Amino acid sequence: MVSAVRRLLDVKLQELPPWLAAWDYSPKGLLRAVHQAWRCYHNKYINMKKGGVAGISMVLAGGCVLGYICSYERLKHSRWRKYH
């Protein structure tokens, strides 16, 4: 049996399906996973004594990528094309 508390990099390829099946996919479980990921990110990049711009720039870059992904279909149709 594969433990769900192991990190993704510690799981071997053959153990991946049981590891994914052991997750809690309820809304409460997904919210708990998002909160844990945010807490880990915040402690590593934001809540430190000598912080830099890396943490904030990752959030801004992620927002830009997410915005581009959301508007890709609209941008795809408004491109200049050689043949219309």
Side-chain angles (χ1 to χ4, degrees):
M1 181 76 181
V2 178
S3 174
V5 295
R6 290 174 46 190
R7 297 178 61 179
L8 177 61
L9 296 175
D10 297 335
V11 177
K12 293 185 168 114
L13 191 58
Q14 66 186 11
E15 299 171 345
L16 192 62
W19 182 73
L20 289 172
W23 283 2
D24 184 13
Y25 288 106
S26 68
K28 190 175 183 179
L30 292 175
L31 187 63
R32 185 180 308 126
V34 169
H35 178 70
Q36 180 181 0
W38 174 256
R39 191 176 59 220
C40 180
Y41 165 79
H42 190 270
N43 286 337
K44 186 173 183 179
Y45 292 107
I46 307 295
N47 192 19
M48 54 191 319
K49 288 185 179 182
K50 291 186 177 181
V53 296
I56 303 298
S57 63
M58 280 196 288
V59 170
L60 292 175
C64 291
V65 169
L66 186 63
Y68 180 76
I69 289 171
C70 291
S71 64
Y72 178 74
E73 286 297 321
R74 184 176 49 86
L75 292 172
K76 184 171 70 170
H77 293 296
S78 65
R79 289 185 192 153
W80 287 67
R81 299 198 190 276
K82 187 174 180 181
Y83 302 106
H84 293 333

